[in-house]
Amino acid sequence: MGNTPRATRRYSARSPLVGYLLRRLGTSVLLLFGVTIVTFALANLVPGDPIAAALGEGAASNPATVEAYIQERGLDQPLPVQYATYIGGLFQGDMGISLRTTQPVADDLAKAVPATVEIALLAIIVSLGIGVALGSLAAYRRGKISDQLVRVFSLIGLSIPTFWMALVSFNFFFLQLRIAPGSGRLSPALAPPPTVTGFYTVDSLLDGQWVTFTDALAHLMLPVFVLSLFTIGLLTRFVRTSVLEVLDADYVRAGRAKGLSGPRLLFGYVLRGASLPILTIVGLAFGTLLSGTVLVEAVFAWPGLGSYAYNSATSLDLPGVMGVGLVVGVVYLSINFAVDLLYGVLDPRVRLA
Amino acid sequence: MRTQFRYVAAAFGLTASLALAGCAAAAPEVSDSIVIDTAFTLETSDPGRNYVPTGYMVSKALYETLLDFAGSDESTPVSGLASFEANDDATVFTFTLEDGRVFSDGSAITADDVVFSLNRVAGMTESKANFLMNGITVTKIDDMTVELSTETPSLKLPALMTNPSLAILNSKLVMENGGTTDDSDAAEAFLNETSAGSGPYILDTVNFESQVVLTENENYNGEEDIDFTRVVIRNVSEAATQKINLEGDDSQVAVDLSGDQVASLSDSINVFSTPSAQTIFLLINQSEEVGGVTSNPDFANAVRYALDYPALLELAGAGSEQATGVIPPSFLGALENGVDQDLDVAAASLEASGYNGESITLEYPNDYPVGGVSFTPLAERIQSQLADAGITIELAPAPFTTQIDSYVNGTEAFSIWFWGPDYADSANFLPFSAGQKVGLRAGWTAEQDTDVVNLASAAENSTSFEERETAFSNFAEALQQRGPFVPLIVPGSNIATASYIEGVAYNSTWTMDIAELQAK
């Protein structure tokens, strides 16, 4: 054991990246520990009686049931003991039992998280594609009518309330135009594919269920469209600003003077130069998409993390709330970690030497 | 520049083709199937552990109980799996099972199954439904007869036996999968995957967060003649989404539409509107320490007669009614008429109460609509009406989960709350009596009104159905005249269906019996 730290230091000295990764990992673990303390404390500080909320009037009037309920969940223990039990459980993958669903929180989240990640991932891909395209277009055509139109479009995307847009688009595309399916992840006549990733599109393809795949994809379209609008607006504005800055840079003018073609200049020089701020925004936007889908999931009856978080909070399901807090914490830390690593990939100046 | 446009166009093209791929998905055939949208309250498909509305709806389709209710009539239990007789002092109830009935695996239903099922609920102290069996002893008489007895008269027992939590399970199958009649019972996991009952449907799949699928029980030999062999019950928490799904034929039944929403439905949608079993009421605390002037019974009387009830009812929409008392319309002992506004009586009572114009705080949950009735506009209208009668009200909304603590602990001077029955019997409303659970939340102790205490006791201990109805009416009347509660609204229950579906009947416990839905 005595040699391990020295060995790590020697290795770190030879490979700064490994040392950096280890430091970040250590910091992340500490931050996650902090997240558990904060969520546990906040969950227990909320006024209200979770036992009465979980049992309801009739059962809460039955002393035998209340006693059994408290004993089974260790709610009679002091808070530090409850916290220690919770942390001990986390190391074994046990996030407690939901007071609302009465199922293990880990099982609930294993179903809810992929549902949300599936729409968030597609939304960020769509947003990135459209946002970069529109932002670049606006920057290249600065001050022209197309620039003005793009800016208005991005402003609309940022301004429209998501909940309202979700209801309006559901009504318009499903009920009026009949080109979108109803709510949920799949049509009622179809059974979910065998779970591998939790993404219905991927799992149905892996199982060779083409009809289920197209149906799952169809059900993704409206939630993704609504979720993307805000992110597209945000990305478009950032890309435009970043590209404008880079367009005036000496190396871009030099490239242009040397006769580089449009695409090569755009992708090899301009977008690469503008990529760092865009990457930062993409990371933040993805985190926001994952943790901020409550209203969209409610409208489209999407059984994801947002719905789970809302239902847990409104029913004082403290283990559920803590589970969501932990997942969101892990997501943000992972995204920040990934973004930091990508900085080094995209910009040699950021690489650790 | 043209090349750059090509890249932008390519990005758009990719997105558009993705969208078209999705839109191209064919709508699957749903013949003989029905889709029901409802906001889930679902924790388990083990009937003995269930205590929430969606769970009751599912249990009702999968299992049968000793007794039942016919359609929407919840006043008198009728035969289910058994018929019954009560002794003269209403302490012994003898149930005789119907001949020839079988479970979904084809095995016969016997008295052993009844004894096991009821004792299982009584033995599982951690079950939320455990209280339903408090004070009831179950004894097998012979293979087809079971006796249920209580220490004191209990004419609520027949209504209890309609509750889907007390469904009759296939005891042999459940015991083979961990079922016991005490706290060691471990059959929930099995019952969450497989139903073990005799109802018209069997459990196909269940996801407690998204949907439950039921299919026809091929061995069912009861009275129901089901038209839909596959039922999908989906969790759609937004009523607006339920409405759009129904109008777009993505679902065939929407359970949670508000009065305003059903009013805007097209004529091609059937709507079944009826008063629910919830009562929204004002609580006026009788403890001087908590309420000050509100503790004077004359103040409660002033509020009672100052309100314009029809104007309050305008906020509730289709199916709703003015509450005529703490017992809602479909229950035994419910009063025919509610209070009418009388500003002279209100003024005289207010003067007698010693009220000096001080501001009274009205507390209410602002994020928990009951039957589509939001409490914020209701509170605002009450504030306005009481202002006209000379009472100054200050509104104090809060989220339900935080507000309920002060309500349960009896520390609210003046508040808006609601009450719904745990099972379909008027005994559910006796807690409003002085010295009982809800009465004490209003600071109303037994010593403050022994007459009401005696009326509640008479209703509780009645030994004949006729005597019982009179006793409950007297109890409701006394509360209406001098209780610390002002019943306001019984919100409507609105169940909307596709035009080709009929047979909807609202029930306060299981919402509707899915097996009764028929295609025209």
Side-chain angles (χ1 to χ4, degrees), chain A residues 54 57-58 61-62 183 218 299, chain B residues 22 51 125 128 130 241 245 437 441:
Chain A
E57 288 274 4
S61 305
N62 188 4
S183 65
V299 170
Chain B
Y51 178 66
T125 49
K128 294 178 188 177
N130 172 269
T241 306
N245 277 342
K437 183 165 72 178
R441 289 173 184 175

Side-chain angles (χ1 to χ4, degrees), chain B residues 7-20:
Chain B
Y7 280 91
V8 173
F12 274 119
L14 180 67
T15 311
S17 50
L18 205 58
L20 285 172

Side-chain angles (χ1 to χ4, degrees), chain A residues 30 47 80-81 83 91 127 136 144 150 159 171 179-180 187 211 222 240 247 264 290 304 313:
Chain A
L30 280 177
V81 175
Y83 177 70
F91 282 113
S127 303
S136 304
K144 298 192 172 149
V150 168
S159 311
N171 191 306
I179 59 169
S187 293
V211 173
L222 277 184
R240 180 181 179 278
L247 280 176
R264 195 165 170 201
L290 273 178

Side-chain angles (χ1 to χ4, degrees), chain A residues 210-269:
Chain A
W210 181 250
V211 173
T212 307
F213 168 74
T214 53
D215 191 73
L217 192 62
H219 280 81
L220 275 167
M221 286 306 116
L222 277 184
V224 166
F225 166 70
V226 173
L227 270 179
S228 302
L229 277 182
F230 178 85
T231 325
I232 289 171
L234 190 71
L235 274 171
T236 301
R237 294 177 79 83
F238 264 87
V239 169
R240 180 181 179 278
T241 308
S242 301
V243 169
L244 277 177
E245 280 176 18
V246 175
L247 280 176
D248 290 334
D250 291 343
Y251 69 93
V252 173
R253 275 188 284 188
R256 200 179 286 141
K258 284 168 72 178
L260 288 176
S261 65
R264 195 165 170 201
L265 193 69
L266 177 67
F267 291 107
Y269 286 71

Side-chain angles (χ1 to χ4, degrees), chain A residues 46-49 53-59 61-62 64-66 68-69 72 99-103 108 111 122 126 129-130 133-134 137 140-141 146 163 167 170-171 174-175 178-183 186-192 200 214-215 217-219 221 262-263 266-267 298-301 303 307-308 310-311 313-316, chain B residues 1 3-5 7-8 11-12 15 18-30 35 37 42-44 51 124-132 134 183 188 192 206-211 213 230 232 234-238 240-241 243-250 367 400-402 404-405 407-408 418-419 422 437-438 441:
Chain A
V46 172
D49 181 356
L55 291 179
E57 288 274 4
S61 305
N62 188 4
T65 302
V66 173
Y69 193 82
E72 191 182 324
L99 304 185
R100 181 176 59 88
T101 68
T102 71
Q103 307 298 311
D108 286 345
K111 291 173 192 156
L122 200 53
V126 170
I130 297 178
L134 289 183
L137 173 72
Y140 268 85
R141 301 182 63 81
S146 49
F163 182 74
L167 272 176
F170 188 42
N171 191 306
F174 165 62
L175 190 57
R178 305 270 175 176
I179 59 169
S183 65
L186 276 181
S187 293
L190 295 175
Y200 280 6
T214 53
D215 191 73
L217 192 62
H219 280 81
M221 286 306 116
L266 177 67
F267 291 107
V299 170
F300 293 106
S307 299
Y308 189 79
Y310 176 78
N311 291 330
T314 52
S315 55
L316 284 183
Chain B
M1 191 54 69
T3 316
Q4 289 149 11
F5 272 124
Y7 280 91
V8 173
F12 274 119
T15 311
L18 205 58
L20 285 172
C23 297
E29 287 293 318
V30 287
V35 179
D37 282 355
L42 185 64
E43 303 168 342
T44 177
Y51 178 66
M124 294 189 300
T125 49
E126 88 279 19
S127 163
K128 294 178 188 177
N130 172 269
F131 77 100
L132 295 172
N134 279 351
D183 272 327
E188 184 180 12
N192 279 342
V206 59
N207 180 325
F208 297 115
E209 288 289 306
S210 55
Q211 72 175 25
V213 180
R230 184 174 185 270
V232 179
R234 294 193 305 192
N235 183 12
V236 180
S237 58
E238 274 299 316
T241 306
K243 180 172 179 274
I244 294 172
N245 277 342
L246 179 65
E247 290 177 318
D249 201 30
D250 194 55
D367 60 348
F400 175 85
T401 47
T402 53
I404 194 168
D405 249 11
Y407 163 59
V408 169
F418 59 95
W419 181 264
D422 288 310
K437 183 165 72 178
V438 188
R441 289 173 184 175

Side-chain angles (χ1 to χ4, degrees), chain B residues 36-173:
Chain B
I36 300 169
D37 282 355
T38 184
F40 266 23
T41 47
L42 185 64
E43 303 168 342
T44 177
S45 45
D46 176 349
R49 285 183 162 81
N50 175 63
Y51 178 66
V52 288
T54 310
Y56 280 141
M57 191 197 292
V58 171
S59 290
K60 180 70 183 166
L62 301 175
Y63 297 89
E64 290 179 283
T65 44
L66 289 178
L67 300 179
D68 199 356
F69 285 118
S72 293
D73 180 6
E74 298 184 62
S75 61
T76 313
V78 299
S79 296
L81 274 177
S83 54
F84 82 101
E85 286 180 356
N87 67 349
D88 287 344
D89 60 358
T91 54
V92 178
F93 298 80
T94 306
F95 291 84
T96 305
L97 287 168
E98 191 182 343
D99 277 333
R101 296 302 312 281
V102 296
F103 288 111
S104 55
D105 65 356
S107 59
I109 301 172
T110 69
D112 290 328
D113 297 308
V114 177
V115 173
F116 170 80
S117 302
L118 299 183
N119 280 340
R120 179 171 178 263
V121 177
M124 294 189 300
T125 49
E126 88 279 19
S127 163
K128 294 178 188 177
N130 172 269
F131 77 100
L132 295 172
M133 286 299 294
N134 279 351
I136 300 174
T137 304
V138 187
T139 311
K140 174 183 171 182
I141 303 299
D142 59 41
D143 277 353
M144 298 302 281
T145 315
V146 175
E147 190 177 274
L148 271 60
S149 55
T150 56
E151 290 286 324
T152 54
S154 182
L155 280 179
K156 68 181 180 185
L157 190 143
L160 283 172
M161 291 304 130
T162 67
N163 193 296
S165 292
L166 304 181
I168 307 308
L169 313 181
N170 183 334
S171 60
K172 186 166 176 286
L173 184 61

Side-chain angles (χ1 to χ4, degrees), chain B residues 73-389:
Chain B
D73 180 6
E74 298 184 62
S75 61
T76 313
V78 299
S79 296
L81 274 177
S83 54
F84 82 101
E85 286 180 356
N87 67 349
D88 287 344
D89 60 358
T91 54
V92 178
F93 298 80
T94 306
F95 291 84
T96 305
L97 287 168
E98 191 182 343
D99 277 333
R101 296 302 312 281
V102 296
F103 288 111
S104 55
D105 65 356
S107 59
I109 301 172
T110 69
D112 290 328
D113 297 308
V114 177
V115 173
F116 170 80
S117 302
L118 299 183
N119 280 340
R120 179 171 178 263
V121 177
M124 294 189 300
T125 49
E126 88 279 19
S127 163
K128 294 178 188 177
N130 172 269
F131 77 100
L132 295 172
M133 286 299 294
N134 279 351
I136 300 174
T137 304
V138 187
T139 311
K140 174 183 171 182
I141 303 299
D142 59 41
D143 277 353
M144 298 302 281
T145 315
V146 175
E147 190 177 274
L148 271 60
S149 55
T150 56
E151 290 286 324
T152 54
S154 182
L155 280 179
K156 68 181 180 185
L157 190 143
L160 283 172
M161 291 304 130
T162 67
N163 193 296
S165 292
L166 304 181
I168 307 308
L169 313 181
N170 183 334
S171 60
K172 186 166 176 286
L173 184 61
V174 174
M175 282 193 281
E176 282 170 3
N177 289 280
T180 65
T181 54
D182 56 32
D183 272 327
S184 66
D185 179 270
E188 184 180 12
F190 169 72
L191 292 168
N192 279 342
E193 291 182 352
T194 314
S195 53
S198 59
Y201 290 96
I202 56 173
L203 187 64
D204 185 56
T205 59
V206 59
N207 180 325
F208 297 115
E209 288 289 306
S210 55
Q211 72 175 25
V212 181
V213 180
L214 316 176
T215 53
E216 183 181 11
N217 171 8
E218 304 277 355
N219 285 317
Y220 175 71
N221 61 351
E223 289 182 356
E224 303 288 0
D225 183 17
I226 62 168
D227 270 4
F228 301 103
T229 55
R230 184 174 185 270
V231 178
V232 179
I233 306 165
R234 294 193 305 192
N235 183 12
V236 180
S237 58
E238 274 299 316
T241 306
Q242 288 187 24
K243 180 172 179 274
I244 294 172
N245 277 342
L246 179 65
E247 290 177 318
D249 201 30
D250 194 55
S251 71
Q252 286 72 49
V253 183
V255 174
D256 304 300
L257 302 190
S258 69
D260 289 343
Q261 285 171 321
V262 295
S264 63
L265 284 169
S266 68
D267 292 341
S268 63
I269 304 285
N270 291 337
V271 180
F272 182 84
S273 296
T274 186
S276 67
Q278 303 275 350
T279 302
I280 299 172
F281 60 88
L282 277 172
L283 176 152
I284 304 166
N285 206 298
Q286 298 302 290
S287 161
E288 189 168 359
E289 191 183 339
V290 174
V293 69
T294 68
S295 65
N296 189 317
D298 281 317
F299 182 83
N301 220 37
V303 172
R304 186 174 289 119
Y305 286 100
L307 294 173
D308 178 357
Y309 296 93
L312 296 179
L313 197 58
E314 289 169 1
L315 299 169
S320 59
E321 286 184 1
Q322 178 187 344
T324 59
V326 293
I327 303 176
S330 54
F331 285 77
L332 195 75
L335 302 176
E336 285 288 320
N337 299 306
V339 171
D340 290 325
Q341 185 184 40
D342 189 330
L343 293 175
D344 293 337
V345 174
S349 298
L350 194 61
E351 192 175 345
S353 72
Y355 176 72
N356 289 320
E358 62 265 45
S359 180
I360 309 284
T361 302
L362 176 60
E363 299 177 68
Y364 59 92
N366 62 347
D367 60 348
Y368 202 91
V370 176
V373 180
S374 293
F375 284 10
T376 297
L378 181 63
E380 287 168 351
R381 196 162 285 194
I382 290 169
Q383 181 188 39
S384 164
Q385 292 180 4
L386 292 183
D388 292 344

